[in-house]
Amino acid sequence: MAEPPEPREENGCGGRGRGPPEPGGGHPRARRRLEALLNRSMRIRMSDGRTLVGAFLCTDRDANVILGSAQEFLKAADSFPGSEPRVLGLAMVPGHHIVSIEVERDSATAPLYP
């Protein structure tokens, strides 16, 4: 009699870690690309005009993103020139509010979230 499969987590914030793809599918190439982005600095533009910058920690099936050491920048019309960003710390960005994501090139050598 076969053993039941191990339970899977519903988000990308944990789970069984590295290893072979789960039975019945999986996308090993996509997973490797996401793993390569872990701890990299990202700039996420949101539908309301705000921009969040922080270290990519995880995502889930709904495209929600968790950023560590996150800072919020308001759109230019709402803020004074040269205003300071708001420090958020750990932030969850709902996937349906994400307009674009940019990975900062210089973050490959200096991760923000050890």
Side-chain angles (χ1 to χ4, degrees):
M1 182 169 185
E3 292 183 22
E6 292 181 35
R8 289 183 61 182
E9 295 210 13
E10 291 298 316
N11 62 21
C13 301
R16 297 185 335 196
R18 293 190 172 119
E22 280 75 23
H27 301 279
R29 183 174 178 224
R31 182 179 176 132
R32 283 192 307 270
R33 291 187 73 184
L34 280 175
E35 286 176 348
L37 296 174
L38 286 174
N39 299 319
R40 300 273 306 266
S41 181
M42 292 191 162
R43 178 181 310 272
I44 298 179
R45 288 190 173 79
M46 298 174 56
S47 57
D48 62 1
R50 292 179 294 162
T51 300
L52 298 181
V53 177
F56 174 68
L57 298 181
C58 69
T59 187
D60 62 13
R61 293 179 184 166
D62 296 322
N64 300 314
V65 174
I66 304 290
L67 293 177
S69 303
Q71 295 181 326
E72 176 186 53
F73 296 86
L74 300 177
K75 56 186 175 184
D78 290 346
S79 61
F80 297 106
S83 64
E84 292 292 317
R86 185 168 80 149
V87 177
L88 302 177
L90 194 62
M92 193 280 285
V93 185
H96 62 277
H97 287 296
I98 296 174
V99 174
S100 68
I101 298 177
E102 299 173 33
V103 179
E104 294 185 3
R105 290 181 185 257
D106 60 337
S107 68
T109 57
L112 292 176
Y113 212 86

